[in-house]
Amino acid sequence: MLTPKVQLLLTGNELMTGDIVDSNSAMMAQVLKDIGLGIMRKVTVADDLALLVSEITYMASTSDILIINGGLGPTVDDLTAQALALAMDEELSEHPEALAHLTAWCKQRGNALNGPNLKQTILPSSCRIIANRSGSAVGFSVRYKDCDIYCTPGVPHELKVMLQEQIIPAISKKSPKNLIADITRLQVFGLGESSLQKMVDEKLAQWPADIDLGFRAGKPLLEVKLSINSERGLALKPLWQKKLADALGHHLIAEINEKPYSLAQHLINQLQQDNIKVTTAESCTGGLIASKLTEISGSSNCFEAGFVTYSNNMKTAMLNVSADLLTQKGAVSEEVVIAMAKGALLKSHADIAIAVSGVAGPSGGTEDKPVGTVWLAWGGINDIKTQCLLIPYKRNHFQQFVAEIGLDLLRRYQKNITSIPNYIIDNAFTTKR
Amino acid sequence: MLTPKVQLLLTGNELMTGDIVDSNSAMMAQVLKDIGLGIMRKVTVADDLALLVSEITYMASTSDILIINGGLGPTVDDLTAQALALAMDEELSEHPEALAHLTAWCKQRGNALNGPNLKQTILPSSCRIIANRSGSAVGFSVRYKDCDIYCTPGVPHELKVMLQEQIIPAISKKSPKNLIADITRLQVFGLGESSLQKMVDEKLAQWPADIDLGFRAGKPLLEVKLSINSERGLALKPLWQKKLADALGHHLIAEINEKPYSLAQHLINQLQQDNIKVTTAESCTGGLIASKLTEISGSSNCFEAGFVTYSNNMKTAMLNVSADLLTQKGAVSEEVVIAMAKGALLKSHADIAIAVSGVAGPSGGTEDKPVGTVWLAWGGINDIKTQCLLIPYKRNHFQQFVAEIGLDLLRRYQKNITSIPNYIIDNAFTTKR
C-alpha cells in the first residue's frame, strides 16, 4: 500500500487579498505529519465558482486525499458545496443530518433558524456528514474519482477539532498500517531557535538520523519536536531524549506527548499541588498576568485577587506603596515593585505574589529608564526576589512577554528552581518566522 | 486594456510541512492591491522539479503575470532557475550581472565565493536580472507564453524590498492607468455574518453590482468591506454606504479607510476626548478588561486602577461588597455587580466603571445560574445600568466575549447610545472567520 497523495484546496477572498495570513494549512500539515503523511501541493483561490469547480476536478484526479478548507458558511460567497456538486455532476439537496445539527445548534443558543443558516444544510446528495461540535456549519466528505474529499470549515478552532476528532482518525484507518508516528514535544521557555540550533550542533553533534528533530518557535513557548518513524528510532529515543533534556536544563518546561500546556497552566498545576495562593500587582501589564491565570479552569483554588495599579496614586491607595518612595525612586524601580508585592500579599492574604512596573512605551521613556525597562518582584512576604529587564519590543509584545516572564518566575520560585535564564537574548519573541 | 491576471507560485519544503506559516503571499497581495491588482490563484508546492515545471507551464499559459517565490538560494533544494529553464526549454548559463552582484556581495562581507554561492548565478539565458540590495541571490524575470514571470527570494524582507523597488514599478508601467481601488471598511459588533447577510438581502436587495460587498467575521468585530474599481461604483458609493450604515444602526462602530481599531481603542479615544476616567471591577474576566484597556497606548490618561476580585472575600475586602449581600444574592447577581461597580468608583475616584461577575465554567453552574451566566453593571455612580446575559461558549471564549461586551457597553454609555444590541444571537464568536 503506497503512502496516499494529499492535496489541499483553500478557498476564501480574504486569503487572496492579504487581509489574513493562512495558518490553517500549517495546522493541517502538522496533524497530517503526526500520522506520517505529507502534503504534495496546495492551491488557494478566491470565492469563484468556475475556478473552484476546475480546481476540484483536477485535484481529485491527481490525489488520494483532498482536503477543502473554507466556503462552508451561510453567505453567498460560500461556494464549496455548490462547486463540489457541479464538479461531481450531482444534485444539491437538504441533508437531514446537517439540518438536525443546525437546529440543535440554534436551539441551544436560543436563535431562530434563518434562510442564510439553512443554506448550510444544502449539500451534495452523496455526502457523509462530519460533525462539528464547535460551530454551526457541518463538514462533509465525498468520494470522487477514487479520491476522498473532506470539506472543512475555515474557522481555525472548528477546523482543528474536526481534524483531530474525525478526519485524522478516518484517514489513519485507510493509511498503511506499518507507519509509526511517535511524537514527543519538549516545551522550552527563554531560549530561541538559533541558540537551540547552536546548542544541538555543539552538544549533541552525534544526534541520530532516526530521530527527526524539529523546532517550532512560539509565543512564548518554543517547541522541540522529536518525530520517529522506525523501530530503530524508538529504541534510540530514551537515551537521546534524556541527553536533549539535560542540555536544555532549566529552560525545559515539560516533555509532553499530548496537548501542550501554557505557562499559566503549568503554574496553576504546581500551585494546586502545593496548596498555595498567588496574587498579582500589575502596572505596565495592566491585568494581563491576572487574566492569564484566570483563563485556566480551576484557578479559583489558588487565585483570589489581583491589583491593577496603573497610576502612582493607586499604587499608594490600593497597595500602600509610600508616596515618598514613588517620588524618590520612581514607579519603575526595585523598591516600588517590592512594596507593590508586599502590599498585594498583605491585602490579599495570598502566599506568593508577582509585581511588575515598567515602561511599555511608545512614550514615557527617559535616559535612565528607556522604553522597555521593567522591574519585577516575586515570592513570599519574607523572601522577595527582584529582576530588572530591558525588553525592546513594541507595546503589546512587551506586555505579553513581561506577563509570561512573570508566570515563569513564579513557576521557578514554586518549584525551587533558583536559576533564571537570560530571557532577553535570542528568545522566541525576537526570531523570524 | 484588461486588468492583468496575476498568479503566485510558492515553493519550499518548509511551506508544506507546517513548520512556517506563509506570510509572503499576504504581503504580495497587499502591495499588488495598492496598484489595483488582485491575485487570482496561488499554488504552493515542495521543492520538486517535476511538479515545479508542470505548474510553471500551466500557470504561465493562464496568467499575464506570474510571481514565483522561493527556491533561489544556494542549496540543492533550490530549483526555481532550473525548473523555469526546463519549462521554457532554454539553456542555463552563468549570468554576468548575477556574478557581478554576488562577487560584490561576498567582497563587502569578506566572504570567499564558494560553489553553492556560484549556483545562484546560473540562470535561464533569456532572463533579466532584478537587483537584490539585501541578499545574496538576485531575482530575475522572463517573458514566456505572453506571461511576465518574476522570480523572487523567499526571505520576507528581501522579497519586500524587491517588490517595492523593482517589481511593482515594472508591473505598474504595464497596467491600465485608470485602475481604481477604493476600499471602505465598516466595523460591526454584536451582529454575525448570517444576520448581516439576511439584513442585506431584505433591506438592501437592490445593492449595486458596481460595489463589491464582502464580510469578514472577526473576534470581536465583524468587518463589512466595500470594494470599488470603477467610476460608476465611486459615484454610487455615498448613497449606498449611507443606506448600509442606516441598516446597521447601532451595531456600526466605525466607517474606516485605514487600519481597523479595536473596541478598546474606540473606547479610549472617546474617553480621552471627553476627559473621563474609567475603572474595572472584574470577577469572571479576571483582569481581561483592564488588560485590553491598558494595551492601548495613551490609556494612562483615562485608566488608573482595576480590581480583580475573584473570590467573595476579596469582593468584600477590596470593593466593600457586603458579605451579607454575597450570601443572600450570590456572587453572580445584579445587586453584587452594582455594589462592585460602586466600590470600584469610590476606591478609584474614576468617573465610570464596568463590573462583571459570571460563571465562566466548565464547573460552578447551578440550575438558576448555569455556566455562561454573567451579570454586568456599568456607568457613573448615580447612573448604573445592568444587564444579565447567558453566553454559551467555552471558558476562554466566554471571557473574551464578556470583556468585549463590557468595552462596548462603556462605549455606548459614553456616546449616549441607549440601545443595546442582542449580543448573543448570531454574533461573530459563533460564525466562521
Side-chain angles (χ1 to χ4, degrees):
Chain A
M1 190 170 174
L2 289 170
T3 304
K5 282 188 205 155
V6 184
Q7 294 193 48
L8 302 187
L9 174 59
L10 304 149
T11 165
N13 291 334
E14 71 281 9
L15 291 169
M16 305 310 285
T17 54
D19 286 332
I20 70 163
V21 165
D22 160 41
S23 57
N24 281 358
S25 62
M27 184 213 297
M28 289 191 266
Q30 281 165 356
V31 296
L32 286 165
K33 195 157 57 174
D34 290 348
I35 56 166
L37 294 181
I39 296 169
M40 180 186 120
R41 178 173 182 266
K42 65 187 179 202
V43 176
T44 314
V45 292
D47 299 314
D48 176 310
L49 192 61
L51 258 180
L52 281 168
V53 172
S54 110
E55 299 297 345
I56 290 170
T57 306
Y58 179 75
M59 295 176 95
S61 67
T62 52
S63 30
D64 302 303
I65 294 167
L66 170 60
I67 302 179
I68 304 179
N69 187 239
L72 299 190
T75 61
V76 288
D77 53 3
D78 290 304
L79 298 169
T80 298
Q82 198 184 341
L84 190 58
L86 276 171
M88 297 173 69
D89 195 17
E90 222 178 61
E91 294 292 309
L92 282 167
S93 56
E94 188 177 84
H95 199 293
E97 207 179 321
L99 181 63
H101 167 79
L102 191 67
T103 307
W105 176 263
C106 287
K107 193 173 170 191
Q108 201 186 336
R109 281 155 190 77
N111 301 352
L113 265 177
N114 61 25
N117 278 145
L118 284 171
K119 174 175 170 298
Q120 296 176 298
T121 66
I122 311 295
L123 303 174
S125 316
S126 73
C127 80
R128 291 176 302 282
I129 296 298
I130 308 174
N132 182 353
R133 65 171 173 81
S134 51
S136 65
V138 294
F140 52 94
S141 69
V142 296
R143 184 146 178 98
Y144 172 53
K145 291 191 177 186
D146 289 332
C147 175
D148 288 318
I149 303 182
Y150 298 92
C151 300
T152 60
V155 185
H157 79 269
E158 295 180 28
L159 170 64
K160 194 168 189 177
V161 171
M162 200 177 278
L163 282 169
Q164 286 170 339
E165 297 181 358
Q166 313 264 343
I167 297 173
I168 292 297
I171 293 176
S172 285
K173 246 187 263 171
K174 291 193 160 192
S175 295
K177 286 287 170 285
N178 61 347
L179 277 180
I180 298 170
D182 182 276
I183 307 273
T184 304
R185 295 178 164 89
L186 280 67
Q187 290 187 290
V188 176
F189 186 61
L191 201 61
E193 266 186 305
S194 65
S195 300
L196 251 174
Q197 183 67 60
K198 192 159 165 265
M199 190 200 81
V200 169
D201 291 348
E202 287 172 10
K203 297 194 187 169
L204 304 164
Q206 309 301 314
W207 189 268
D210 295 281
I211 306 176
D212 184 52
L213 191 66
F215 302 142
R216 187 149 61 111
K219 290 178 183 175
L221 292 173
L222 191 142
E223 196 176 279
V224 184
K225 191 165 152 188
L226 310 186
S227 313
I228 294 172
N229 309 291
S230 67
E231 293 292 345
R232 213 179 115 80
L234 277 185
L236 289 167
K237 182 183 163 189
L239 174 67
W240 286 93
Q241 183 172 342
K242 170 86 173 48
K243 286 193 187 197
L244 178 60
D246 289 347
L248 289 169
H250 286 143
H251 288 286
L252 179 63
I253 309 291
E255 300 171 71
I256 47 176
N257 293 98
E258 296 182 18
K259 183 169 169 276
Y261 282 168
S262 65
L263 273 171
Q265 179 80 64
H266 283 294
L267 174 59
I268 294 282
N269 291 353
Q270 187 68 39
L271 295 175
Q272 283 189 321
Q273 187 183 312
D274 300 346
N275 196 21
I276 286 284
K277 285 198 160 55
V278 65
T279 186
T280 55
E282 302 182 67
S283 187
C284 61
T285 47
L288 194 57
I289 301 178
S291 76
K292 284 176 188 282
L293 288 169
T294 53
E295 192 185 326
I296 309 301
S297 170
S299 51
S300 56
N301 296 323
C302 33
F303 178 82
E304 288 196 51
F307 304 82
V308 185
T309 55
Y310 214 54
S311 71
N312 282 1
N313 284 342
M314 287 297 135
K315 289 179 182 69
T316 304
M318 288 166 68
L319 298 173
N320 284 334
V321 178
S322 134
D324 288 347
L325 191 68
L326 283 160
T327 311
Q328 285 161 25
K329 303 289 180 178
V332 181
S333 65
E334 182 168 26
E335 292 82 354
V336 164
V337 286
I338 292 174
M340 286 169 69
K342 286 188 175 167
L345 287 167
L346 293 173
K347 295 265 178 162
S348 70
H349 307 295
D351 305 295
I352 62 173
I354 175 85
V356 292
S357 182
V359 190
S363 61
T366 63
E367 196 162 324
D368 277 5
K369 293 169 187 171
V371 169
T373 306
V374 59
W375 271 102
L376 302 104
W378 68 98
I381 191 81
N382 295 315
D383 181 28
I384 291 183
K385 320 279 186 194
T386 60
Q387 176 90 357
C388 182
L389 299 170
L390 181 65
I391 299 180
Y393 310 150
K394 63 179 184 177
R395 187 176 178 90
N396 66 336
H397 287 182
F398 168 90
Q399 292 172 320
Q400 288 288 338
F401 192 38
V402 170
E404 296 289 351
I405 288 173
L407 295 170
D408 190 49
L409 289 170
L410 287 172
R411 187 190 66 89
R412 286 170 189 273
Y413 181 86
Q414 198 51 34
K415 288 178 93 88
N416 288 314
I417 301 172
T418 51
S419 71
I420 296 178
N422 184 338
Y423 289 113
I424 305 314
I425 291 182
D426 180 39
N427 70 74
F429 277 75
T430 65
T431 52
K432 72 181 186 81
R433 67 169 188 174
Chain B
M1 192 170 175
L2 289 170
T3 305
K5 282 188 205 156
V6 184
Q7 295 193 50
L8 303 187
L9 174 59
L10 304 148
T11 165
N13 291 333
E14 71 282 8
L15 291 170
M16 304 311 284
T17 54
D19 286 333
I20 72 162
V21 165
D22 160 41
S23 57
N24 281 358
S25 61
M27 185 212 299
M28 289 191 265
Q30 278 162 358
V31 297
L32 287 165
K33 192 158 59 176
D34 291 346
I35 56 166
L37 294 181
I39 295 169
M40 181 185 119
R41 179 173 180 266
K42 64 186 180 201
V43 175
T44 313
V45 293
D47 299 314
D48 176 309
L49 192 60
L51 257 182
L52 280 169
V53 172
S54 110
E55 299 296 344
I56 290 171
T57 307
Y58 178 74
M59 293 176 95
S61 67
T62 52
S63 30
D64 303 302
I65 294 167
L66 170 61
I67 303 178
I68 304 180
N69 186 240
L72 299 189
T75 61
V76 288
D77 53 4
D78 289 304
L79 298 168
T80 298
Q82 199 183 340
L84 191 57
L86 276 172
M88 297 174 69
D89 195 18
E90 222 179 60
E91 295 292 310
L92 282 167
S93 58
E94 188 176 86
H95 199 292
E97 207 179 323
L99 182 63
H101 167 80
L102 191 67
T103 308
W105 175 263
C106 286
K107 194 173 170 191
Q108 201 186 335
R109 280 156 191 76
N111 301 349
L113 264 178
N114 60 25
N117 279 147
L118 283 171
K119 174 175 170 297
Q120 296 175 297
T121 68
I122 312 296
L123 303 174
S125 315
S126 73
C127 80
R128 292 175 303 281
I129 296 298
I130 307 173
N132 182 353
R133 65 173 174 78
S134 51
S136 65
V138 295
F140 52 94
S141 68
V142 297
R143 185 148 177 94
Y144 172 53
K145 292 193 176 183
D146 290 331
C147 176
D148 288 318
I149 303 183
Y150 299 92
C151 300
T152 60
V155 183
H157 77 268
E158 294 181 30
L159 169 64
K160 193 168 189 176
V161 171
M162 200 178 277
L163 281 170
Q164 284 169 342
E165 296 181 358
Q166 314 264 342
I167 297 172
I168 291 296
I171 292 176
S172 283
K173 245 186 266 173
K174 291 192 160 194
S175 295
K177 288 287 170 284
N178 61 346
L179 277 181
I180 298 165
D182 182 276
I183 308 268
T184 304
R185 294 178 164 88
L186 279 67
Q187 290 188 290
V188 176
F189 185 62
L191 200 62
E193 266 187 306
S194 67
S195 299
L196 250 173
Q197 182 70 59
K198 190 161 166 263
M199 191 199 80
V200 169
D201 292 348
E202 287 172 7
K203 298 194 190 170
L204 304 165
Q206 309 301 318
W207 189 268
D210 295 279
I211 306 176
D212 185 53
L213 191 66
F215 303 141
R216 185 152 63 114
K219 290 180 184 173
L221 292 173
L222 190 142
E223 196 177 280
V224 183
K225 190 167 151 188
L226 310 187
S227 313
I228 293 173
N229 41 50
S230 68
E231 292 291 347
R232 213 179 115 81
L234 276 186
L236 289 168
K237 181 181 163 190
L239 174 67
W240 286 92
Q241 184 171 340
K242 170 85 172 45
K243 286 191 188 200
L244 180 59
D246 289 347
L248 290 168
H250 287 141
H251 289 287
L252 179 63
I253 309 291
E255 300 171 71
I256 47 175
N257 294 97
E258 296 184 17
K259 185 170 168 276
Y261 283 167
S262 65
L263 272 171
Q265 179 80 64
H266 282 293
L267 174 60
I268 294 283
N269 291 353
Q270 186 69 38
L271 295 174
Q272 283 189 322
Q273 188 185 309
D274 299 346
N275 196 22
I276 286 286
K277 284 198 160 57
V278 66
T279 187
T280 54
E282 303 181 68
S283 187
C284 60
T285 48
L288 194 56
I289 300 178
S291 76
K292 283 177 188 282
L293 287 168
T294 54
E295 192 186 325
I296 308 300
S297 169
S299 51
S300 55
N301 295 323
C302 33
F303 178 82
E304 288 197 49
F307 303 83
V308 185
T309 54
Y310 214 53
S311 70
N312 282 1
N313 284 342
M314 286 296 135
K315 290 179 182 69
T316 303
M318 289 167 68
L319 298 173
N320 284 335
V321 178
S322 134
D324 287 348
L325 192 68
L326 283 160
T327 311
Q328 285 161 25
K329 304 289 179 176
V332 180
S333 64
E334 183 168 25
E335 291 82 354
V336 165
V337 286
I338 292 174
M340 287 169 69
K342 286 188 176 167
L345 286 168
L346 293 172
K347 294 265 178 162
S348 70
H349 308 293
D351 304 295
I352 61 173
I354 175 85
V356 291
S357 182
V359 189
S363 60
T366 63
E367 196 162 322
D368 276 3
K369 294 169 187 171
V371 169
T373 307
V374 59
W375 270 101
L376 300 104
W378 68 97
I381 191 82
N382 295 315
D383 179 29
I384 292 183
K385 319 280 186 192
T386 60
Q387 176 89 358
C388 182
L389 299 170
L390 180 65
I391 299 181
Y393 309 148
K394 63 178 186 180
R395 187 178 180 88
N396 65 336
H397 287 182
F398 168 90
Q399 291 172 321
Q400 288 287 340
F401 192 37
V402 170
E404 296 289 350
I405 288 174
L407 296 170
D408 190 49
L409 290 171
L410 287 171
R411 185 190 68 87
R412 286 170 190 273
Y413 181 86
Q414 199 52 35
K415 288 179 94 85
N416 288 313
I417 300 172
T418 51
S419 71
I420 296 177
N422 184 338
Y423 290 114
I424 304 315
I425 290 184
D426 180 39
N427 71 74
F429 276 74
T430 64
T431 54
K432 70 178 193 80
R433 65 171 177 185

